[in-house]
């Protein structure tokens, strides 16, 4: 089988596919309050998204994560999950979601072959949760987490972006919540994607090392070499099944082991989160509808563009003009 190998001998085995740029939340670090979303004809259809997923699995990709925007607001997401869930060669099929739609959708997604869920939750305080997400309701997300457990999802992982002065006093409560719920949790450093006017990123920056020392004030953290093929570094606690992960694009650069590419909902193949390089897959999809070989060939040719590393800094400058909801977090 042809494999996807870049110029730095990294083999691409993981693709994140964004299924929509839309969302029912407006998280302050991800979107501005007034967002304009893409017109429908610029967005890949469900059939096109399924073909992209198939092409990647035929090129050695073993892990697919669906993301967005909010994947659960895309109409037909259940059918797309079923189509992708059937692909041969796929070993790990996951989704990142804000969790608000899980009460309704978790069971069908699990039955469709989705294996793992990452659910974002940045605060356990109703008021603050509302402030951070602008439109979200905490209880709906907590009910969503329970629905996902009931539907049989294993190793559910919570994602929390920690911002100094906003929710950095919730690090321990979030860890305790994860322990009680018997789920994993990853803490994410804020990335400079899109120009968010709501706060200054230089002031809110909270490094993974800061988060780690807060956790270590209460719990012993044991480093592990476990990986989910993603960027998280994992730790275990001696008295719990919960794993603690850190996603640290700034403080612990993870580029050297990067095995990931992303596809935006417009069908742009992004070779690196922190660079503007991209290759247009939508153009091939629409010029040669249903032609998987043409699509694979465009993907193979794109590999030489994968840069060695990203160039994020913490000085608050926007280095990539795409918003996270366009990038596919
Ligand atoms: N809507 C889903 C969700 O919130 O989980 C999936 C898409 S969201 C863009 C994916 C992840 O990216 C979420 O965990 C979110 O907290 C994170 N995220 C969004 N903007 C970010 C930023 N500027 N820096 C770091 N993480 C960010
Ligand atoms: Fe929506 Fe996720 Fe972005 Fe929040 S982080 S606005 S839930 S896409």
């Amino acid at each position: 089988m042809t494999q996807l190998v870049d110029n730095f001998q990294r083999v691409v085995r993981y693709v994140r596919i964004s299924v929509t740029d839309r969302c029912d939340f407006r998280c302050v670090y991800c979107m501005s309050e007034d967002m304009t979303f893409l017109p429908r004809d610029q967005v890949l259809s469900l059939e096109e998204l399924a073909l992209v997923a198939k092409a990647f699995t035929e090129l050695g990709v073993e892990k697919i994560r669906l993301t967005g925007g909010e994947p659960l607001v895309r109409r037909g997401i259940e059918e797309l999950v079923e189509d992708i869930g059937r692909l041969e060669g796929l070993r790990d099929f996951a989704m990142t979601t804000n969790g608000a739609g899980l009460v309704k959708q978790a069971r069908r997604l699990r039955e469709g072959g989705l294996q793992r869920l990452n659910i974002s939750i940045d605060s356990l305080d109703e008021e603050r949760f509302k402030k951070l997400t602008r439109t979200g309701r905490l209880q709906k997300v907590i009910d969503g987490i329970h629905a996902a457990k009931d539907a049989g999802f294993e190793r559910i992982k919570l994602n929390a972006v920690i911002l100094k002065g906003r929710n950095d006093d919730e690090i321990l409560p979030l860890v305790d919540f994860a322990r009680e719920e018997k789920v994993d949790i990853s803490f994410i450093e804020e990335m400079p994607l899109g120009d968010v006017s709501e706060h200054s990123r230089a002031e809110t920056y909270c490094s993974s090392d800061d988060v780690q020392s807060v956790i270590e004030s209460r719990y012993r953290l044991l480093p592990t070499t476990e990986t989910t093929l993603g960027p998280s570094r994992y730790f275990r606690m001696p008295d719990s099944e919960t794993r603690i992960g850190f996603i640290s694009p700034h403080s612990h650069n993870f580029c050297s082991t990067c095995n990931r590419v992303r596809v935006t909902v417009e069908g742009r193949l992004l070779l690196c989160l922190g660079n503007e390089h991209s290759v247009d897959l939508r153009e091939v999809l629409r010029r040669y509808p249903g032609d998987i070989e043409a699509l694979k060939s465009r993907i193979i040719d794109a590999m030489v563009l994968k840069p060695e590393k990203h160039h994020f800094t913490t000085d608050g400058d926007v280095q990539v003009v795409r918003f996270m909801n366009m990038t596919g977090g």
Side-chain angles (χ1 to χ4, degrees):
M1 184 200 287
T2 312
Q3 283 201 321
L4 295 173
V5 186
D6 73 5
N7 279 352
F8 306 93
Q9 302 314 310
R10 293 171 300 194
V11 181
V12 170
R13 296 194 195 284
Y14 176 7
V15 58
R16 293 185 178 224
I17 303 178
S18 174
V19 299
T20 179
D21 60 329
R22 290 163 198 257
C23 186
D24 44 350
F25 290 8
R26 294 284 181 280
C27 301
V28 295
Y29 46 74
C30 177
M31 293 197 184
S32 62
E33 200 148 16
D34 304 311
M35 293 288 289
T36 339
F37 295 107
L38 292 165
R40 190 176 294 242
D41 63 338
Q42 290 187 27
V43 166
L44 296 191
S45 67
L46 294 173
E47 293 71 29
E48 288 169 334
L49 287 164
L51 196 70
V52 167
K54 185 159 196 280
F56 273 105
T57 55
E58 290 186 9
L59 291 168
V61 161
E62 298 169 340
K63 172 168 173 177
I64 291 180
R65 173 177 298 283
L66 301 182
T67 179
E70 174 47 44
L72 298 184
V73 305
R74 173 85 198 237
R75 201 171 301 148
I77 186 68
E78 290 94 345
E79 288 79 9
L80 179 65
V81 161
E82 278 165 18
D83 282 346
I84 297 179
R86 279 194 286 265
L87 291 176
E88 251 171 66
L90 192 60
R91 294 213 316 221
D92 188 353
F93 185 21
M95 178 186 283
T96 305
T97 169
N98 66 26
L102 285 173
V103 166
K104 282 208 188 105
Q105 289 158 287
R107 192 159 297 280
R108 177 116 187 251
L109 297 171
R110 183 72 193 97
E111 286 165 6
L114 192 69
Q115 295 163 321
R116 293 191 307 116
L117 283 172
N118 286 3
I119 304 172
S120 302
I121 185 165
D122 303 325
S123 173
L124 294 168
D125 174 88
E126 182 75 65
E127 275 301 296
R128 191 184 275 176
F129 187 86
K130 182 88 204 275
K131 274 209 179 102
L132 286 168
T133 59
R134 292 198 184 103
T135 58
R137 280 195 39 233
L138 174 66
Q139 194 54 48
K140 229 173 151 185
V141 175
I142 292 180
D143 292 345
I145 295 170
H146 295 153
K149 289 205 300 197
D150 291 346
F153 281 98
E154 282 163 29
R155 291 240 78 112
I156 293 168
K157 184 169 74 131
L158 308 179
N159 276 343
V161 177
I162 299 295
L163 306 178
K164 214 162 236 153
R166 300 296 292 266
N167 64 345
D168 56 336
D169 56 342
E170 292 205 54
I171 298 168
L172 286 173
L174 282 164
V175 170
D176 290 340
F177 176 71
R179 286 165 58 99
E180 277 158 30
E181 294 290 338
K182 299 192 172 31
V183 296
D184 295 336
I185 182 163
S186 276
F187 292 96
I188 309 177
E189 290 177 353
E190 186 184 15
M191 284 173 257
L193 294 179
D195 193 2
V196 293
S197 51
E198 199 263 355
H199 59 277
S200 149
R201 283 184 164 134
E203 279 164 27
T204 51
Y205 175 67
C206 187
S207 78
S208 291
D209 290 348
D210 295 341
V211 176
Q212 186 173 339
S213 32
V214 171
I215 301 173
E216 284 181 322
S217 69
R218 184 174 303 167
Y219 297 111
R220 197 147 75 90
L221 291 185
L222 311 167
T224 75
T225 51
E226 291 165 74
T227 165
T228 51
L229 278 185
S232 277
R233 294 175 295 121
Y234 284 106
F235 292 79
R236 280 194 178 272
M237 292 172 282
D239 61 342
S240 160
E241 278 296 295
T242 292
R243 294 184 301 174
I244 309 271
F246 295 100
I247 303 179
S248 331
H250 296 290
S251 56
H252 295 261
N253 184 298
F254 42 56
C255 300
S256 64
T257 54
C258 178
N259 56 359
R260 297 174 287 288
V261 295
R262 290 161 199 268
V263 180
T264 73
V265 70
E266 295 167 283
R268 279 199 296 147
L269 172 61
L270 302 180
L271 286 309
C272 170
L273 184 58
N275 283 272
E276 300 279 5
H277 301 272
S278 74
V279 169
D280 190 357
L281 301 183
R282 189 179 65 196
E283 192 270 324
V284 193
L285 282 163
R286 299 206 172 156
R287 184 145 48 114
Y288 308 105
D291 184 345
I292 196 164
E293 293 310 320
L295 183 60
K296 278 159 69 179
S297 147
R298 174 76 52 104
I299 295 171
I300 294 165
D301 292 348
M303 285 304 117
V304 295
L305 288 177
K306 192 165 165 61
E308 190 175 7
K309 55 187 172 199
H310 70 65
H311 300 285
F312 291 148
T313 63
T314 56
D315 58 14
D317 281 355
V318 183
Q319 286 124 30
V320 175
V321 290
R322 271 179 273 115
F323 280 96
M324 191 60 146
N325 74 308
M326 289 298 300
T327 303

